[in-house]
C-alpha cells in the first residue's frame, strides 16, 4: 500500500502550509490561519465571530486572538449586532478586502500554474478526487480535529 501520510506530507509542504506566513499582501504578512479567516469573513458576508470560528473548526479562544491581531492590522472590523448586543459581527475593512482579494488572486494563479502541467482529464480527475476526499472527511467522526488528540 502507498504511503498515504507521506503523500499528504509532501502536498502540505508544497502548498506552503508549514510556512509561518503563507502570503504577503498589501504590505501585510498573513499567516495561513489569518488567510482562512479573511476568506470566511468575505465568503459569509458579515458573519458572527461564532459562525467563522465554527466554519474553521477553531476553538473560540484561539480564534479571538487571531481576530484581535487582524483588527490591529486594520484588516477586520468587529461590531455588536444591533439585534443582540452579545453577538459580535465581523467584516473586512477596505484594506482587509484588498488583502483577501490579493490572496485569492495569488492562490488562483498558483493553482492555474500547477494545473497547467496536467491535461484536462488529469485536472478533472484530481478535482473530482479532492471533492470525494472532502466529502469523506466531512463524514469522519474525527473530522476537523487533530487525529492524535
Amino acid at each position: 500500500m502507498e504511503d498515504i501520510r507521506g503523500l499528504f506530507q509532501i502536498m502540505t509542504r508544497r502548498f506552503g502550509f508549514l510556512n509561518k506566513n503563507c502570503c504577503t499582501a498589501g504590505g501585510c504578512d498573513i499567516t495561513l490561519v489569518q488567510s482562512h479567516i479573511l476568506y470566511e469573513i468575505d465568503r459569509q458576508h458579515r458573519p458572527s465571530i461564532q459562525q467563522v470560528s465554527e466554519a474553521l473548526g477553531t476553538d473560540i479562544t484561539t480564534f479571538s486572538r487571531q481576530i484581535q491581531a487582524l483588527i490591529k492590522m486594520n484588516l477586520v472590523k468587529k461590531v455588536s449586532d444591533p439585534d443582540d448586543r452579545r453577538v459580535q459581527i465581523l467584516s473586512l475593512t477596505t484594506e482587509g478586502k484588498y488583502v483577501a482579494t490579493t490572496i485569492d488572486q495569488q492562490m488562483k494563479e498558483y493553482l492555474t500554474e500547477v494545473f497547467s502541467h496536467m491535461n484536462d482529464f488529469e485536472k478533472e480527475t484530481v478535482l473530482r478526487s479532492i471533492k470525494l476526499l472532502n466529502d469523506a472527511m466531512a463524514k469522519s467522526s474525527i473530522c476537523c480535529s487533530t487525529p492524535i488528540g
Side-chain angles (χ1 to χ4, degrees):
M1 185 171 155
E2 266 190 90
D3 178 11
I4 297 171
R5 180 175 178 203
L7 291 173
F8 279 94
Q9 294 285 112
I10 291 167
M11 187 173 65
T12 297
R13 282 195 297 272
R14 289 191 175 142
F15 254 115
F17 291 154
L18 303 177
N19 299 351
K20 182 178 185 291
N21 295 314
C22 75
C23 26
T24 301
C28 299
D29 288 333
I30 305 296
T31 66
L32 183 64
V33 171
Q34 290 169 339
S35 79
H36 282 276
I37 292 170
L38 294 174
Y39 175 83
E40 281 301 321
I41 293 171
D42 197 31
R43 185 182 73 80
Q44 292 190 35
H45 183 69
R46 297 186 50 80
S48 70
I49 285 183
Q50 191 71 33
Q51 287 171 313
V52 177
S53 175
E54 286 173 6
L56 296 175
T58 311
D59 76 276
I60 198 76
T61 307
T62 304
F63 184 75
S64 293
R65 281 194 296 271
Q66 292 292 339
I67 292 297
Q68 287 309 317
L70 289 167
I71 290 170
K72 283 182 185 160
M73 295 166 78
N74 197 32
L75 301 179
V76 171
K77 288 186 292 197
K78 178 174 74 169
V79 296
S80 295
D81 185 330
D83 298 327
D84 184 347
R85 310 290 283 156
R86 297 168 298 171
V87 176
Q88 298 292 305
I89 301 296
L90 300 173
S91 61
L92 299 179
T93 62
T94 303
E95 294 89 340
K97 183 69 175 163
Y98 172 78
V99 168
T101 302
T102 301
I103 292 169
D104 190 51
Q105 190 59 41
Q106 289 171 354
M107 285 303 299
K108 284 179 180 168
E109 287 170 11
Y110 174 63
L111 292 170
T112 298
E113 197 279 330
V114 167
F115 282 120
S116 74
H117 301 284
M118 298 179 194
N119 63 37
D120 287 343
F121 175 76
E122 291 167 332
K123 178 182 173 183
E124 288 305 314
T125 301
V126 168
L127 293 175
R128 197 169 39 255
S129 297
I130 291 170
K131 288 175 188 170
L132 281 169
L133 181 62
N134 279 336
D135 290 345
M137 290 171 79
K139 294 173 187 169
S140 169
S141 62
I142 56 173
C143 175
C144 309
S145 65
T146 307
I148 300 170

